[in-house]
Amino acid sequence: MFVAYAGQGYGLTETTAATCITLASDNRTSVVGPPQESSCIRLRDWPEGKYFNDDLTAPTIKMRRGEILIGGPGVCKGYFVNPDDPDPDIVEKNATEFVTLDGVRYFCTGDIGQFTPEGNVQIIDRKKDLVKLQQGEYVALSKVENVLKTSKYVELPMAYAVSTESSCIALVCPMAPALKALAAEMNVTGTLEELCANPALVEKVLADLQTCCKGKLVPFETPQKLILVADVWTVENDMLTAAMKLKRKPIVERHAEQIAAIGYGTAPAK
């Protein structure tokens, strides 16, 4: 009898691939496993995102949290710099994305993680997805998107925020069958593109998204406006990376007119 094992792992090109791999006895999908023997993982406090090692003593968290730093022999020496024509951006990245602590050289991943009681690493956020709002609060876009995915109307969500606004908005590629079923209930007809532009349908879907956010997100994290996108984002139309991650800037640029039409922000977020 042939038995196949499929587990989750975590690693980066800069750390020579897998740093963590789940145990064969662990079938959970929410963790990436413990660190491998060849790697060392350290969590660095990130005050802006309110992730701390001291969260271990917080009654509602009880886990150490912070930016994942990876050390060990698999960490690369840095990004290549052409000695004849050094790129200042690469020089800056080498200076900021690699750090030596207690004699160990680490790569700063930008990923936010926590150690579970079982010793597994769990990825919970991403530093680059954090945007400071008008009132000084930070919203983690990926956190919002993970909640939006729980709506039956959502196929692909993207949260968008700028510092001139007090809340975020959502751009959503809808689940076409669910949206069409809702339209039928409301006696609304038209193509998918027409349905996505229908104000009554948009309002209904937004209400469902906000219901999904209750108890999971605070008010400033909850999208107050919604844009439905008929043309699904894909790798082929250059809206997703090869790893199926959102290309935020191209998506914002592509839908700039729709964002302006709902009166949100003054310019695309950097």
Side-chain angles (χ1 to χ4, degrees):
M1 181 177 67
F2 176 75
V3 178
Y5 164 67
Q8 293 203 112
Y10 170 69
L12 305 95
T13 303
E14 293 88 347
T15 63
T16 317
T19 297
C20 299
I21 299 177
T22 52
L23 301 177
S25 58
D26 192 345
N27 294 321
R28 285 173 294 178
T29 59
S30 61
V31 297
V32 294
Q36 298 298 289
E37 293 182 1
S38 60
S39 62
C40 174
I41 288 185
R42 182 169 185 154
L43 299 182
R44 180 169 64 179
D45 289 348
W46 187 35
E48 293 90 342
K50 298 181 181 178
Y51 294 109
F52 303 96
N53 279 270
D54 285 347
D55 290 338
L56 177 64
T57 60
T60 58
I61 301 174
K62 297 182 180 179
M63 285 182 281
R64 291 170 52 202
R65 306 193 299 175
E67 180 185 4
I68 298 174
L69 308 186
I70 299 176
V75 176
C76 70
K77 294 182 178 180
Y79 302 110
F80 175 74
V81 177
N82 186 339
D84 298 323
D85 184 23
D87 185 328
D89 290 337
I90 296 179
V91 173
E92 175 67 16
K93 288 181 71 174
N94 281 336
T96 58
E97 296 187 8
F98 296 88
V99 62
T100 299
L101 301 171
D102 299 328
V104 178
R105 188 165 179 275
Y106 293 88
F107 172 65
C108 308
T109 67
D111 294 322
I112 304 301
Q114 61 190 16
F115 285 124
T116 69
E118 298 79 20
N120 287 312
V121 174
Q122 190 171 36
I123 312 298
I124 57 175
D125 211 335
R126 175 75 179 158
K127 284 181 69 174
K128 289 183 179 179
D129 291 343
L130 199 74
V131 178
K132 187 176 183 179
L133 297 175
Q134 187 179 50
Q135 69 273 31
E137 297 284 0
Y138 286 88
V139 57
L141 303 180
S142 57
K143 177 183 177 183
V144 176
E145 290 156 2
N146 285 335
V147 175
L148 297 182
K149 289 175 184 176
T150 62
S151 168
K152 65 181 179 181
Y153 298 111
V154 174
E155 179 175 353
L156 277 175
M158 190 187 89
Y160 174 62
V162 293
S163 60
T164 56
E165 298 287 344
S166 58
S167 61
C168 65
I169 64 172
L171 289 84
V172 168
C173 297
M175 286 288 190
L179 185 65
K180 290 177 180 178
L182 176 62
E185 292 175 9
M186 298 173 63
N187 294 318
V188 176
T189 59
T191 64
L192 181 60
E193 186 173 351
E194 290 170 336
L195 296 182
C196 287
N198 185 286
L201 282 175
V202 172
E203 184 179 349
K204 279 285 189 180
V205 175
L206 177 59
D208 183 78
L209 298 184
Q210 292 175 336
T211 297
C212 292
C213 293
K214 286 184 179 178
K216 300 175 183 175
L217 301 176
V218 295
F220 70 82
E221 294 175 313
T222 302
Q224 299 302 310
K225 295 183 179 182
L226 170 66
I227 294 171
L228 292 179
V229 179
D231 188 12
V232 179
W233 304 318
T234 65
V235 176
E236 289 72 24
N237 62 24
D238 205 31
M239 296 295 106
L240 301 178
T241 69
M244 304 302 290
K245 293 182 180 179
L246 298 170
K247 288 189 175 182
R248 296 185 183 277
K249 187 175 180 180
I251 290 174
V252 170
E253 291 174 348
R254 183 172 184 172
H255 301 290
E257 290 186 8
Q258 292 166 281
I259 294 171
I262 63 173
Y264 186 83
T266 56
K270 296 181 179 179

